[in-house]
Each structure stands twice: as C-alpha cells, then as structure tokens.
Amino acid sequence: MRPLTVLIGIVMGSAASITFGLVAVLIVFCILASSHPDLTRELPQLAMNLIVFGILTAASAGSFVGQAKGRSWRGWAHAGTLLCLTAVIMLYWPRRS
C-alpha cells in the first residue's frame, strides 16, 4: 500500500469507530430514556455528532476506495475527505473565551 492509502485508512478507521461508538451510545440512550428523562436533553447533540462523524466516515471510505483502486475521481474524493476533516476539526477545536 502507498502511504496516502494508509493515512486515509487511519482516518476512515478512526471515524468509523467513533461513529460506531456514537450509535451504541444512542441505542443505550434510547433504551434508558424512559427511566432517565434527563438523557433526552443530550439526544440533539448526540445526533449532531453522529451525523458529523457519519459524513466523515462516508467521505473517507470513498476516498479510500478511490485511492486503493486508482480511480480517476480519487482527487475529488480526497478533497471531500479533507473538507470534512477540516470541518470536524473546526467544530471541535477549543475556542477562546
């Protein structure tokens, strides 16, 4: 494998594992919501995080496939992954008060 393929694979694997973890937390929250109503306040933020990392996972998976198979559209896929990764960094980077 080429180094770029490995780096994209690391981003894809990390994003997929975070997405899987968020789905697991969402399932637990949905099960416990009836007995713990305070969890329902966290659902919008959890859903937003799940969507953000789901999009990053999809973008990096497309980029990985394009790079691994040498497709002509892989440059666009890399740009999409970079854009999504930049958006995630900007979203979660600590802000000064």
Side-chain angles (χ1 to χ4, degrees):
M1 270 204 233
R2 292 183 273 180
L4 185 58
T5 308
V6 172
L7 289 175
I8 294 168
I10 291 169
V11 171
M12 180 183 66
S14 299
S17 66
I18 292 170
T19 303
F20 178 78
L22 289 171
V23 168
V25 171
L26 181 64
I27 290 170
V28 170
F29 273 28
C30 289
I31 291 170
L32 297 176
S34 62
S35 60
H36 299 282
D38 54 325
L39 291 178
T40 57
R41 289 182 303 198
E42 302 293 329
L43 284 176
Q45 183 68 29
L46 178 62
M48 196 265 310
N49 292 335
L50 183 58
I51 290 169
V52 166
F53 279 99
I55 291 171
L56 178 60
T57 301
S60 59
S63 183
F64 183 81
V65 169
Q67 181 67 26
K69 294 189 176 192
R71 302 290 188 214
S72 60
W73 46 264
R74 70 181 181 264
W76 291 106
H78 296 336
T81 299
L82 185 60
L83 179 68
C84 290
L85 189 57
T86 302
V88 167
I89 290 169
M90 296 301 290
L91 185 64
Y92 293 104
W93 193 266
R95 293 177 179 86
R96 294 182 189 180
S97 302

